[in-house]
Amino acid sequence: MARQSILLTRRLPPQVEARARASYDVIDNPDDRILTPQELRERAHNGKVAALLVCTSEKVDETLLAQLPDSLKAVATFSVGYDHIDVAACKARGIMATNTPDVLTDSTADIAMLLLLGAARRAYEGDRLVRAGEWKGWHTMMLLGVQPGGKRLGIFGMGRIGQAVAQRARAFGMRIHYHNRSRLAPEQEAGAEYHASPESLLRVSDFLCLNAPSSPATRGFLNSERIALLPEGAIVVNTARGDLVVDDDLIAALQSGRVRAAGLDVFANEPALHPGYAGLPNTLLLPHLGSATIETRDAMGFTALDNIDAVLAGRAAPNPLW
Ligand code: DGY
């Protein structure tokens, strides 16, 4: 029987690509350039692809789906977030869409803690001072930060990653509060205090960690009105999606000190960055590194292939989105 063909829209870790090649005819993207919709269409048609393995860099919308060949059975994203995929349009065409939950929970929660601690303890300013040769020696008032221990951490979005952040933050002595679409069972809450409204959560968030997916309900969530509800000098962390934040409003609050510091791993329109962030000393910025560990990226690739294998073999996908 002829081997089926799959399109990898980006370069993937070597072991993941090797496994893909062992099972399928692979149409790859050796330059790792983000392909235009037209290039995606051409490659998909030339290879009569049965599956696309995409990343968050590719927008799989209704228009693109309508132009892909009938041979297409699966769109597997190498990510837990799937705001770049029109799942309803996939469903309407009978194309299974899948994601990679669970395997990146720990690495993303680790990055949230790194940003939380780095923002609270002024890691960017300290690093800059040392590298610039401007460090004149230890003194008692140099780069004083704030202590997370005993403070309230507000988690907006208490799914797998939010819960993993809570687990880590407890070890730092933080008191956990959260808002989620639905309240968690007591064993999952593990003592965290539930807030039925985001506004109630914001009022107690000495630290605010955004962990909700991007959706019409969460886009633009952190705007100036909501920032005004935070305690004076709160610290904001975002490892979810950049469009949860209204950049102009957060930047103004960081400039005035209303928000003491921020740690951001994700940005609206990334890799383009709102120019206001670059000059802010009280902001620790990372280039979307949440899942960027060797172990996690391998696991994400293998999970995406597990999903493709299942769909193309006529089995249920382990991580279906519809
Ligand atoms: C995801 O999986 O959604 C991440 O943002 C990619 O690291």
Side-chain angles (χ1 to χ4, degrees), residues 56 78-81 104 240-241 288 291 297 300:
T56 53
F78 183 96
S79 62
V80 65
L104 43 63
R241 284 291 182 266
H288 203 143
S291 63
R297 289 284 161 86
M300 290 167 76

Side-chain angles (χ1 to χ4, degrees), residues 6 8 10 25 53 73 80 82-83 115 118 141 153 158 171 182 204 214 238 251 254 257 278 285 291 310 318 322:
I6 68 171
L8 312 184
R10 304 292 304 273
D25 284 341
L53 202 165
K73 302 282 180 297
V80 65
Y82 53 89
D83 43 302
L115 289 169
M141 300 294 281
L153 171 61
M158 193 68 151
S182 48
V204 300
S214 168
N238 188 8
I251 289 164
L254 284 160
L285 307 172
S291 63
W322 58 267

